Amino acid sequence: MTSSNTAPKPYVYFILLCVFFGCDFKKKSTSFPAELLIGSWLDNSKAKLHFTLFENGKAGSDNMKTLIYKRWTTRNDSLFLTVKSIGNRTRFESIEAYKIDTLDANNLVLHNKNFKMSYSRK
Protein backbone atom coordinates (compact mmCIF):
# COMPACT_ATOMS: atom_id res chain seq x y z
CA MET A 1 0.00 0.00 0.00
CA THR A 2 1.48 3.37 -0.98
CA SER A 3 0.83 6.57 0.89
CA SER A 4 -0.19 9.61 -1.05
CA ASN A 5 0.27 13.18 0.00
CA THR A 6 -3.30 14.44 0.26
CA ALA A 7 -2.58 17.48 2.44
CA PRO A 8 -4.01 20.68 0.96
CA LYS A 9 -1.58 23.22 -0.41
CA PRO A 10 -1.00 26.39 1.71
CA TYR A 11 -2.88 28.57 -0.79
CA VAL A 12 -6.03 26.50 -0.18
CA TYR A 13 -5.99 27.62 3.49
CA PHE A 14 -5.55 31.24 2.41
CA ILE A 15 -8.52 31.05 0.05
CA LEU A 16 -10.66 29.42 2.72
CA LEU A 17 -9.74 32.11 5.24
CA CYS A 18 -10.63 34.83 2.73
CA VAL A 19 -13.99 33.24 2.01
CA PHE A 20 -14.74 32.58 5.67
CA PHE A 21 -13.70 36.01 6.98
CA GLY A 22 -14.76 38.00 3.94
CA CYS A 23 -11.35 39.39 3.06
CA ASP A 24 -11.46 42.46 0.88
CA PHE A 25 -8.12 43.72 -0.39
CA LYS A 26 -9.55 46.81 -2.06
CA LYS A 27 -8.86 50.07 -0.28
CA LYS A 28 -12.08 51.30 1.22
CA SER A 29 -12.91 54.89 1.96
CA THR A 30 -13.12 56.12 5.51
CA SER A 31 -15.98 58.08 7.04
CA PHE A 32 -13.63 60.87 8.15
CA PRO A 33 -11.12 63.00 6.30
CA ALA A 34 -7.72 61.37 6.83
CA GLU A 35 -6.12 64.81 6.46
CA LEU A 36 -7.41 65.57 9.96
CA LEU A 37 -4.95 62.99 11.32
CA ILE A 38 -1.93 64.89 10.01
CA GLY A 39 -0.16 66.79 12.77
CA SER A 40 1.09 66.37 16.32
CA TRP A 41 -1.03 64.64 18.95
CA LEU A 42 -0.64 64.88 22.73
CA ASP A 43 -1.53 61.77 24.74
CA ASN A 44 -3.93 62.79 27.54
CA SER A 45 -3.06 59.75 29.70
CA LYS A 46 -0.31 59.43 32.31
CA ALA A 47 1.83 57.62 29.71
CA LYS A 48 2.16 60.82 27.64
CA LEU A 49 3.01 58.94 24.42
CA HIS A 50 2.94 61.92 22.06
CA PHE A 51 3.35 61.43 18.32
CA THR A 52 3.21 63.20 14.97
CA LEU A 53 1.65 61.92 11.74
CA PHE A 54 3.17 63.45 8.61
CA GLU A 55 1.48 64.01 5.26
CA ASN A 56 3.84 61.57 3.49
CA GLY A 57 2.71 58.58 5.61
CA LYS A 58 5.63 58.75 8.01
CA ALA A 59 5.14 59.00 11.74
CA GLY A 60 7.32 60.22 14.56
CA SER A 61 7.57 59.77 18.29
CA ASP A 62 7.63 63.19 19.91
CA ASN A 63 8.94 62.22 23.34
CA MET A 64 9.83 58.51 23.29
CA LYS A 65 13.27 57.09 22.62
CA THR A 66 12.42 53.40 23.07
CA LEU A 67 9.06 53.28 21.22
CA ILE A 68 9.43 54.75 17.76
CA TYR A 69 6.50 55.41 15.45
CA LYS A 70 7.65 54.94 11.84
CA ARG A 71 4.68 54.95 9.43
CA TRP A 72 0.90 55.28 9.38
CA THR A 73 -2.04 54.52 7.14
CA THR A 74 -5.83 54.30 7.42
CA ARG A 75 -8.40 51.81 6.26
CA ASN A 76 -12.07 51.35 7.16
CA ASP A 77 -12.08 53.87 10.02
CA SER A 78 -8.92 52.36 11.49
CA LEU A 79 -5.47 53.80 12.01
CA PHE A 80 -2.48 51.52 11.51
CA LEU A 81 0.83 52.56 13.06
CA THR A 82 4.12 50.81 12.34
CA VAL A 83 6.02 50.85 15.62
CA LYS A 84 9.57 49.88 16.48
CA SER A 85 10.44 49.06 20.09
CA ILE A 86 14.08 49.26 21.10
CA GLY A 87 13.76 49.13 24.88
CA ASN A 88 14.14 46.63 27.70
CA ARG A 89 16.78 44.55 25.88
CA THR A 90 14.26 43.53 23.23
CA ARG A 91 13.81 44.90 19.74
CA PHE A 92 10.81 44.33 17.55
CA GLU A 93 8.72 46.01 14.91
CA SER A 94 4.96 45.61 14.65
CA ILE A 95 1.86 47.20 13.22
CA GLU A 96 -0.65 48.42 15.77
CA ALA A 97 -4.29 48.76 14.70
CA TYR A 98 -6.67 51.24 16.30
CA LYS A 99 -10.33 51.94 15.62
CA ILE A 100 -10.88 55.68 15.30
CA ASP A 101 -13.78 56.53 17.60
CA THR A 102 -13.50 60.32 17.41
CA LEU A 103 -11.61 62.59 15.04
CA ASP A 104 -12.05 66.32 14.65
CA ALA A 105 -9.76 69.34 14.34
CA ASN A 106 -8.65 69.13 17.99
CA ASN A 107 -9.42 65.66 19.33
CA LEU A 108 -8.58 62.07 18.51
CA VAL A 109 -9.89 59.03 20.38
CA LEU A 110 -8.50 55.62 19.45
CA HIS A 111 -9.88 52.27 20.59
CA ASN A 112 -7.67 49.18 20.85
CA LYS A 113 -9.05 45.98 22.35
CA ASN A 114 -10.32 46.92 25.83
CA PHE A 115 -9.03 50.46 26.22
CA LYS A 116 -9.42 53.90 24.70
CA MET A 117 -6.72 56.47 24.20
CA SER A 118 -7.51 60.15 24.05
CA TYR A 119 -5.32 62.74 22.29
CA SER A 120 -5.44 66.50 21.81
CA ARG A 121 -3.98 68.40 18.90
CA LYS A 122 -0.68 70.09 19.77
Side-chain angles (χ1 to χ4, degrees), residues 17-112:
L17 285 173
C18 286
V19 169
F20 185 74
F21 290 108
C23 294
D24 183 2
F25 294 107
K26 296 177 185 172
K27 180 137 179 132
K28 294 184 179 180
S29 62
T30 56
S31 63
F32 58 87
E35 304 84 46
L36 280 178
L37 287 167
I38 297 169
S40 294
W41 294 97
L42 303 174
D43 182 356
N44 295 327
S45 74
K46 291 180 184 179
K48 302 295 181 199
L49 303 176
H50 310 315
F51 63 91
T52 299
L53 303 178
F54 298 99
E55 189 173 354
N56 63 1
K58 295 195 179 204
S61 307
D62 293 350
N63 62 340
M64 301 171 283
K65 294 184 182 198
T66 59
L67 185 63
I68 301 165
Y69 291 106
K70 296 177 72 176
R71 291 178 296 283
W72 70 279
T73 188
T74 59
R75 186 169 190 252
N76 298 337
D77 296 338
S78 292
L79 172 65
F80 298 90
L81 289 168
T82 301
V83 179
K84 182 177 183 179
S85 176
I86 57 171
N88 297 330
R89 297 183 183 159
T90 61
R91 293 177 183 263
F92 66 89
E93 191 168 308
S94 66
I95 297 175
E96 297 181 358
Y98 301 96
K99 167 87 169 74
I100 300 172
D101 284 346
T102 303
L103 175 61
D104 61 34
N106 298 307
N107 300 292
L108 172 63
V109 178
L110 301 175
H111 184 172
N112 182 340

Side-chain angles (χ1 to χ4, degrees), residues 109-120:
V109 178
L110 301 175
H111 184 172
N112 182 340
K113 298 181 183 168
N114 295 326
F115 60 94
K116 286 189 178 188
M117 296 155 290
S118 176
Y119 299 90
S120 301

